[in-house]
Amino acid sequence: MQPLAPRITLSVGYQSGTRAVVAFLMLGVVLTITCGGLCGVTARSVLAGLLVAAPVMLFYGLLMRSILRAGGWLEGSRLTVVNVATRTVDLRAARSVSLRATGSVKRTPLLTVTTDARTVKLILRSGEGVLLPPGELVALAAALDTARCPGAAETAGWLRAVAAGPRTML
């Protein structure tokens, strides 16, 4: 039996201190909307307020869940990304790998890995906007070396270049 590859946690999503602040802010928004719906004088206005507030609360609840759960890790050649749902791909089975920049003010690299079963997207910045540390970029590049598909070698090379000098991204 082969030993399990160590889990390398990627610095994506918000760190724990920021998560708490975001959670309290989102909770405040939800409570404000709910209280606004409940401040009616009649039962009809309370019901109308709740009907309006329910979809908004659902949206904010899903958004808060996504923010609080966001994360990712590598285990050997398996990349797992957690947002609203958890998605895992084996980089050895990738059909394509691409890297593109998103955002107009602050360029944020977005790694997209597609297999026969699914597509996983990983933003290479933390929730606070900090680029992944060089060690994590190199680990991701090493994991991409196992992929034999279009875009994998170029992406791994770019990740190593950015790990060596982040100004390469510009």
Side-chain angles (χ1 to χ4, degrees):
M1 186 171 156
Q2 292 181 345
L4 294 175
R7 177 183 278 196
I8 299 171
T9 303
L10 302 174
S11 302
V12 295
Y14 287 100
Q15 303 309 313
S16 46
T18 307
R19 286 182 190 197
V21 170
V22 169
F24 282 119
L25 286 174
M26 296 297 278
L27 183 62
V29 168
V30 170
L31 289 175
T32 301
I33 291 170
T34 304
C35 289
L38 294 176
C39 289
V41 177
T42 65
R44 179 175 277 160
S45 63
V46 170
L47 181 61
L50 286 175
L51 288 175
V52 170
V56 175
M57 288 173 46
L58 178 65
F59 170 75
Y60 276 113
L62 289 174
L63 182 63
M64 190 167 30
R65 179 176 184 228
S66 171
I67 289 170
L68 295 177
R69 290 189 67 217
W73 60 86
L74 279 168
E75 286 181 301
S77 65
R78 297 174 58 85
L79 172 65
T80 301
V81 178
V82 180
N83 285 317
V84 174
T86 301
R87 295 182 174 269
T88 301
V89 291
D90 189 345
L91 297 173
R92 291 178 296 193
R95 307 259 313 156
S96 70
V97 175
S98 66
L99 188 65
R100 66 182 179 90
T102 62
S104 57
V105 176
K106 185 181 245 184
R107 292 179 50 177
T108 300
L110 175 69
L111 175 68
T112 305
V113 179
T114 304
T115 64
D116 290 331
R118 64 183 49 187
T119 298
V120 172
K121 295 181 179 183
L122 176 68
I123 295 174
L124 301 181
R125 285 192 187 275
S126 69
E128 293 87 1
V130 178
L131 194 63
L132 293 184
E136 293 176 17
L137 292 173
V138 170
L140 193 53
L144 280 171
D145 286 339
T146 63
R148 303 286 180 235
C149 63
E154 296 83 2
T155 301
W158 185 88
L159 290 170
R160 285 188 179 92
V162 171
R167 296 228 180 254
T168 306
M169 193 170 83
L170 306 173

